[in-house]
Amino acid sequence: RTMSLCGEALDAPHVDLSKQELGDADAVLIAGSMQLRAECQEQIETLNLNDNKMGNSGADAFADAFANSGSTLPLLTLCPKLRSVSLLRNAFDHASAQLVADAVATGIKEEEKRGGVQRSVSLCTSLFDGAWVDFSAQELREPDALLVCTSPLLHAPKSLAHVRDLYLNNNAIGDIGASMLARCLGGASLPQLRTLSLRNNVIGNE
C-alpha cells in the first residue's frame, strides 16, 4: 500500500468532504495524498470540497498539484478518472480561484501533449451532464462564479453541446464573474446555450 496523509477517505470513486470545516492545512494534506496514494489515484472520479474554510494557501496547494510544481506528475495524469474537484463556497479569493483554473487548464494541455485523451474537468458541483444547469440561490461569490464559468472552458470541444439553459440567479456574482461568463459564451464552450439567467446578482452596468 502507498502512503496517505489523511487516511483512506479518498479511496473511493466519489468522495464528499463538504461541510467539514476543512482549512488550508487540510487542503495541503488532501492534495498531497492524491499525489502519493495509488489506491486513490486508481479510483477517484469526483471530489466535493464545497462549504469549507480553505483560504488562498489551500487553493494554492491544489493549483500546485494540478500544475506539477513539485516532484510528482500532474494530478490529472496521476488520477486518470478524475473529472471534478468542486471548491465552491470556501474562503480563498478570486486570484487563487484563477490560479486553480489556470493550473487545471495547464494540466489538461500537458496531458494532451503526452498523447492522452481530451479531458473534461469541472471545478464546481455540476458535471454539466444535463441540458439544464441550475446554480440559482447557492450563495456564490466572485471566486465561485469564476470556478463555475471556467468549468465549461475546461471541457473537451463540443462535449457540452447538449447544455441549453444556465441559471445563476440570486447569487453575489459581480463584474469579474460576468467577465468570465462573457469569455465562456464568446467561444465554443456552450454552442447551443439558449437561456442564461443572471437575475438578482451584483453586476454593474458596464
Side-chain angles (χ1 to χ4, degrees):
R1 297 178 68 84
T2 50
M3 182 182 297
S4 173
L5 301 177
C6 56
E8 299 180 0
L10 300 174
D11 298 352
H14 306 290
V15 179
D16 187 354
L17 295 175
S18 62
K19 300 180 180 179
Q20 300 294 313
E21 299 188 355
L22 302 177
D24 288 340
D26 301 298
V28 172
L29 293 176
I30 292 168
S33 287
M34 293 178 73
Q35 291 176 291
L36 294 172
R37 188 169 177 78
E39 291 84 355
C40 165
Q41 295 165 6
E42 294 167 358
Q43 299 185 61
I44 193 164
E45 299 178 25
T46 66
L47 173 60
N48 185 349
L49 291 167
N50 293 345
D51 301 292
N52 282 297
K53 298 180 178 180
M54 291 182 290
N56 293 342
S57 296
D60 291 351
F62 277 99
D64 289 345
F66 278 116
N68 184 26
S69 62
S71 59
T72 63
L73 292 170
L75 201 55
L76 292 181
T77 301
L78 293 170
C79 304
K81 297 180 181 179
L82 186 65
R83 56 195 179 119
S84 173
V85 177
S86 188
L87 297 164
L88 300 179
R89 293 180 297 275
N90 275 278
F92 49 80
D93 61 19
H94 168 265
S96 287
Q98 185 67 66
L99 194 65
V100 173
D102 290 344
V104 174
T106 298
I108 290 174
K109 291 178 181 178
E110 289 300 318
E111 189 170 5
E112 290 177 359
K113 288 180 181 178
R114 294 187 181 94
V117 298
Q118 289 183 314
R119 294 285 289 274
S120 295
V121 180
S122 177
L123 295 174
C124 55
T125 311
S126 175
L127 295 174
F128 293 87
D129 50 3
W132 181 19
V133 181
D134 191 0
F135 282 99
S136 299
Q138 294 198 21
E139 301 180 5
L140 302 182
R141 303 175 301 116
E142 287 285 51
D144 305 313
L146 188 147
L147 296 176
V148 170
C149 295
T150 300
S151 290
L153 300 175
L154 301 175
H155 280 65
K158 299 183 180 180
S159 66
L160 296 181
H162 57 276
V163 177
R164 300 289 190 273
D165 307 289
L166 176 59
Y167 294 88
L168 292 160
N169 304 332
N170 303 303
N171 286 296
I173 299 172
D175 294 339
I176 295 174
S179 176
M180 179 56 66
L181 186 58
R183 176 186 166 197
C184 173
L185 296 178
S189 300
L190 298 171
Q192 300 300 323
L193 190 69
R194 62 188 182 187
T195 301
L196 171 64
S197 185
L198 288 164
R199 291 182 293 106
N200 298 325
N201 280 281
V202 291
I203 301 169
N205 294 325
E206 300 181 5

